[in-house]
Amino acid sequence: ETGVTQSPTHLIKTRGQQVTLRCSSQSGHNTVSWYQQALGQGPQFIFQYYREEENGRGNFPPRFSGLQFPNYSSELNVNALELDDSALYLCASSQGQGLTYFGPGTRLTVT
Amino acid sequence: AQSVTQLDSHVSVSEGTPVLLRCNYSSSYSPSLFWYVQHPNKGLQLLLKYTSAATLVKGINGFEAEFKKSETSFHLTKPSAHMSDAAEYFCVVSLSGGYNKLIFGAGTRLAVHP
């Protein structure tokens, strides 16, 4: 098991609501990335944070936003939830551009 | 643009027989390539990584992969499948240039039968 933890494990929300997912990076890692994995697909890069600044973004709308805190933990916020946002959200941490380690994910269901 | 294509969405083998999971990549320069495994209801685990050193890369649990530039391939193999190898496998290329973005293939589901 990696040292990356995520909470909650599962979450059910209604369309239009907002959600916050949390991630604690592995000790010593200063870079956190978030990925969305829809059912039956490979993970897709949402964005990356390095030392509290967004450092790269994938093809996701602005209603997907994030934060990284001084202890390198991170949050993913999604506003105005849509049914297609239902997915497994994976947090990953690394030391700069070193090896990437993934957390177990948060399963989000939007109804 | 960098991308990976996993040539088989499902592979089924018998326990004790060899495993071959195929991956082709597209990259404008020498890529960093990875294989990750995802067991049901578990996170992604790194199996192995290629970063332009030896072309034959050994990973965990008896897996290995060979980088073939002429064929733009990075196939994953294992001499003898075990029941515990049943999982989803992802071929991944790293997009560098300022940040560490991983681009995943669609995945190959490996089934292992007794």
Side-chain angles (χ1 to χ4, degrees):
Chain A
E1 296 223 351
T2 70
V4 182
T5 60
Q6 294 184 242
S7 63
T9 306
H10 295 85
L11 201 53
I12 300 175
K13 288 286 189 178
T14 303
R15 189 172 50 184
Q17 287 187 316
Q18 177 266 344
V19 69
T20 297
L21 310 182
R22 295 180 174 82
C23 171
S24 292
S25 59
Q26 187 163 309
S27 178
H29 286 184
N30 57 13
T31 302
V32 173
S33 303
W34 286 91
Y35 289 79
Q36 180 195 66
Q37 185 178 15
L39 198 61
Q41 297 181 24
Q44 288 194 299
F45 177 78
I46 302 175
F47 44 55
Q48 181 178 96
Y49 279 82
Y50 172 68
R51 293 187 177 180
E52 303 176 58
E53 297 285 334
E54 187 178 291
N55 186 38
R57 189 176 184 92
N59 189 26
F60 281 82
R63 60 189 185 84
F64 285 78
S65 63
L67 284 172
Q68 187 180 31
F69 300 100
N71 67 354
Y72 302 134
S73 65
S74 177
E75 288 182 354
L76 164 66
N77 298 290
V78 187
N79 293 322
L81 283 166
E82 301 177 0
L83 296 179
D84 284 349
D85 296 332
S86 295
L88 181 68
Y89 287 85
L90 296 163
C91 172
S93 76
S94 63
Q95 177 60 25
Q97 297 191 34
L99 288 179
T100 300
Y101 296 90
F102 284 83
T106 293
R107 174 74 61 187
L108 173 65
T109 302
V110 182
T111 62
Chain B
Q2 290 177 289
S3 65
V4 288
T5 302
Q6 293 184 244
L7 301 177
D8 308 291
S9 59
H10 292 84
V11 170
S12 181
V13 301
S14 297
E15 190 175 23
T17 64
V19 175
L20 170 63
L21 305 183
R22 300 182 295 163
C23 173
N24 287 349
Y25 70 90
S26 172
S27 177
S28 55
Y29 49 89
S30 184
S32 292
L33 293 162
F34 310 79
W35 278 96
Y36 278 83
V37 62
Q38 188 174 37
H39 291 274
N41 301 315
K42 296 274 185 77
L44 289 157
Q45 181 183 21
L46 178 65
L47 277 179
L48 49 81
K49 173 182 180 180
Y50 166 77
T51 53
S52 75
T55 57
L56 185 61
V57 183
K58 293 189 183 299
I60 62 172
N61 301 335
F63 285 94
E64 61 183 35
E66 186 172 7
F67 175 75
K68 290 187 177 180
K69 186 175 181 179
S70 60
E71 298 176 11
T72 62
S73 68
F74 189 57
H75 301 335
L76 182 70
T77 60
K78 183 174 181 177
S80 177
H82 191 273
M83 295 295 289
S84 62
D85 294 328
E88 188 87 19
Y89 291 80
F90 293 98
C91 182
V92 181
V93 63
S94 174
L95 176 64
S96 60
Y99 62 99
N100 189 12
K101 171 183 175 180
L102 301 181
I103 300 171
F104 284 75
T108 297
R109 181 163 297 277
L110 176 64
V112 182
H113 301 289

